[in-house]
Amino acid sequence: MKATLIYDGQCPLCSRYVQLTRLREHVELQIVDAREQSPEVIAAREEGFELDKGMVLRLDDATYHGSAAISALAMLTTPNSVFNRINATVFRSPTFAKLVYPILVFGRNSLLWLLGRQKLGY
């Protein structure tokens, strides 16, 4: 299974989340920084995904954005670390992920502001 995750590489919370998440062995993950003008980022923007409002996960033929992306990632994690077990417990429910995700985005935006970093702006 192939997956591509597009996220904000200058956001410490986003970067740490990506570092800590361990996916199952059958998932080949490509990680893309949304601040780079890669073909993946350009395609996501052209499809209308607002990368300041959430990461994008492409999994085989499906594309997930924001809370749906974090929920899909939670279902793909291995249960071999405390972080992954907590992540899976919290975000496997799409409904709960949808409720919590705006808080995560607010935290990201606040942290970027405190660090003097710009949002992606597209």
Side-chain angles (χ1 to χ4, degrees):
M1 179 181 305
K2 286 189 163 199
T4 301
L5 180 65
I6 304 169
Y7 78 105
D8 183 358
Q10 284 193 14
C11 170
L13 296 176
C14 306
S15 295
R16 191 68 179 148
Y17 177 82
V18 170
Q19 287 175 343
L20 290 173
T21 301
R22 298 287 175 249
L23 299 182
R24 294 189 177 139
E25 293 173 8
H26 68 277
V27 179
E28 179 185 329
L29 181 64
Q30 174 188 11
I31 299 172
V32 178
D33 184 345
R35 292 190 183 261
E36 297 176 8
Q37 293 303 311
S38 68
E40 295 85 2
V41 172
I42 293 167
R45 288 176 37 210
E46 286 175 353
E47 292 172 39
F49 292 110
E50 293 185 55
L51 298 174
D52 271 323
K53 292 187 179 180
M55 60 181 69
V56 171
L57 175 67
R58 294 191 192 277
L59 185 58
D60 291 331
D61 294 333
T63 302
Y64 305 92
H65 179 247
S67 64
I70 206 166
S71 185
L73 279 171
M75 289 187 228
L76 296 171
T77 59
T78 61
N80 61 358
S81 73
V82 173
F83 175 80
N84 276 359
R85 286 193 296 275
I86 292 169
N87 183 53
T89 301
V90 172
F91 293 112
R92 279 193 181 183
S93 163
T95 303
F96 189 74
K98 191 177 270 191
L99 291 172
V100 173
Y101 202 77
I103 297 167
L104 299 176
V105 171
F106 176 78
R108 171 202 173 257
N109 292 338
S110 298
L111 185 57
L112 289 178
W113 180 79
L114 287 170
L115 295 172
R117 297 181 185 165
Q118 297 294 315
K119 291 176 23 175
L120 295 167
Y122 49 74

